[in-house]
Amino acid sequence: MTLLSRREAHQKNSVIQVGSIQFGGDEIIIIAGPCAIESKTQMIACAKVAKQFGAKMLRGGAFKPRSNPYNFEGLGKEGLEILKEASLEVNLPTVTEVLDIRDIDLVDKYADMFQVGARNMQNFPLLKELGKGKKPVLLKRGMSATIEELLLAAEHILAGGNPNVVLCERGIRTFERETRNTLSLSAVPLIKELSHLPIIVDPSHATGQASLVTSMSHAAIAAGADGLMLEIHTDPEEALCDGKQALLPEDFEKMMIRAKKIALAIDRHIS
Ligand code: PEP
Ligand code: MN
C-alpha cells in the first residue's frame, strides 16, 4: 500500500496554503514569535519585530506543555485572543499549539494553523481529529521519533482527509548534553526524498541556546528547509518560558539579512 505521505503517492512537492502564504513553494517562510504568549504588550511587541524584519507568520503558545507542572502553562483562551489581536495588528497569519483534543474548536477560532508539538506527535486521537478538518497542521517531530514515525504520524492526519500538513524538525534527544537537543539536519533533504510534504526547521528548540540559533537557521535554509520557526523576545531574561533560546530583535534582524542571501544562492527567496 502506498502511504499518502510518501513521494510515491504524490510526485510533486505539496504546497500548503496558510492564509496568503504558501509552504513548499519557492519562498522560504519564516515564522517568529515568543515561546509563550505572556501579555498583550509582549505579544504585540514581538509581532511588530517579526513583521519588521520579514517574518511571514506569527507563533506564540497559549497552551504550553511543561515538564514541570508548576511552571507557566500559558494563558489559554486569553492568550488566543491576544494572538488574534497581534495577527490583525501586523496582518500576519498565526500558528499555535493545540495540546488537547478538547481545545481544537477553540484554537480553530483564533489561529490559522494548528501546531502539534513534539510531545504529542504520536497522540493518535488528536492527529485523527485534526485530520477531519482542513485547517493546516504543523506537525513537529517527537524528541525520540524516527523519520519514519514522523511520516506515519502525518499519515494519521492525511488519512482522515486533511492534506494540509507541514512537518517540522526540532531536534532529537541524543547523548549530547551541551545543547538542549541535537538538530538532525539531514532529516531535511531526506524527508524531501521520502515525502512531498513541506519540512521546516525549528533551530530554537533544536539548540536551546540563542547564540547557536542564527548559524543553525542559515544551515537549515542551505539544507533545503521550506521555512524556519524561531522564538524571539524583546526581553528574554524576563521571559516566562524558553528565554535562553529566544533571539533578541537585533539578532533576529541580523539572522534575516544573511538568510535572504543564502536563500537566493539556492534559487529560493525570503521576501
Ligand atoms: C513549541 O514550539 O512551542 C514547542 C513546545 O516545541 P516542541 O513541541 O518542539 O518542544
Ligand atoms: Mn519554546
Side-chain angles (χ1 to χ4, degrees):
M1 183 192 168
T2 308
L3 295 170
L4 298 169
S5 56
R6 294 273 165 169
R7 184 65 80 179
E8 299 81 67
H10 197 276
Q11 283 298 318
K12 277 184 24 187
N13 288 338
S14 283
V15 174
I16 309 300
Q17 189 90 30
V18 183
S20 59
I21 64 171
Q22 293 182 331
F23 288 89
D26 287 340
E27 182 173 7
I28 295 168
I29 302 296
I30 311 299
I31 308 169
C35 178
I37 301 155
E38 300 167 10
S39 68
K40 186 169 153 184
T41 318
Q42 171 249 18
M43 186 65 219
I44 301 269
C46 289
K48 286 184 173 164
V49 169
K51 174 85 175 192
Q52 184 183 355
F53 300 125
K56 285 285 141 46
M57 196 161 173
L58 296 179
R59 64 150 289 144
F63 296 99
K64 295 302 304 172
R66 300 306 299 267
S67 299
N68 181 338
Y70 304 116
N71 287 344
F72 179 61
E73 291 184 317
L75 296 177
K77 183 168 186 276
E78 187 194 345
L80 294 173
E81 287 164 1
I82 294 171
L83 185 65
K84 183 75 193 172
E85 220 176 308
S87 165
L88 294 172
E89 172 89 21
V90 299
N91 193 27
L92 291 179
T94 59
V95 58
T96 196
E97 180 159 356
V98 58
L99 266 185
D100 188 312
I101 209 162
R102 291 167 295 188
D103 296 325
I104 291 178
D105 289 344
L106 180 67
V107 174
D108 189 25
K109 279 196 205 122
Y110 291 96
D112 300 290
M113 186 181 209
F114 292 116
Q115 176 171 319
V116 174
R119 290 157 191 79
N120 262 330
M121 189 203 82
Q122 287 188 317
N123 181 338
F124 300 121
L126 179 65
L127 300 176
K128 286 189 195 307
E129 201 60 33
L130 295 174
K132 291 180 185 165
K134 285 282 184 270
K135 180 160 287 200
V137 179
L138 179 63
L139 178 63
K140 300 189 81 174
R141 182 179 180 180
M143 53 191 86
S144 306
T146 64
I147 289 170
E148 184 185 21
E149 286 165 340
L150 172 61
L151 294 178
L152 286 170
E155 195 73 25
H156 284 263
I157 304 171
L158 301 173
N162 187 351
N164 301 313
V165 177
V166 175
L167 305 171
C168 180
E169 162 59 42
R170 47 76 76 205
I172 50 175
R173 276 223 170 146
T174 67
F175 53 83
E176 181 55 66
R177 303 312 315 145
E178 292 290 333
T179 50
R180 183 175 181 180
N181 290 288
T182 296
L183 178 57
S184 173
L185 205 47
S186 58
V188 173
L190 183 54
I191 285 171
K192 290 270 164 211
E193 283 183 22
L194 298 176
S195 177
H196 52 89
L197 297 172
I199 164 91
I200 71 166
V201 171
D202 169 354
S204 307
H205 292 91
T207 63
Q209 189 179 319
S211 67
L212 305 177
V213 168
T214 294
S215 313
M216 292 303 98
S217 299
H218 295 158
I221 291 171
D226 295 300
L228 298 175
M229 185 156 80
L230 293 158
E231 289 187 347
I232 61 172
H233 204 288
T234 49
D235 190 359
E237 298 208 343
E238 293 300 315
L240 296 179
C241 187
D242 287 353
K244 268 174 60 188
Q245 67 193 37
L247 289 183
L248 281 162
E250 56 266 35
D251 295 328
F252 179 60
E253 179 183 19
K254 281 191 209 132
M255 188 286 298
M256 288 297 279
I257 291 169
R258 185 159 290 176
K260 287 176 188 174
K261 295 181 194 166
I262 298 170
L264 290 177
I266 56 162
D267 301 322
R268 298 186 76 176
H269 65 274
I270 297 169
S271 60

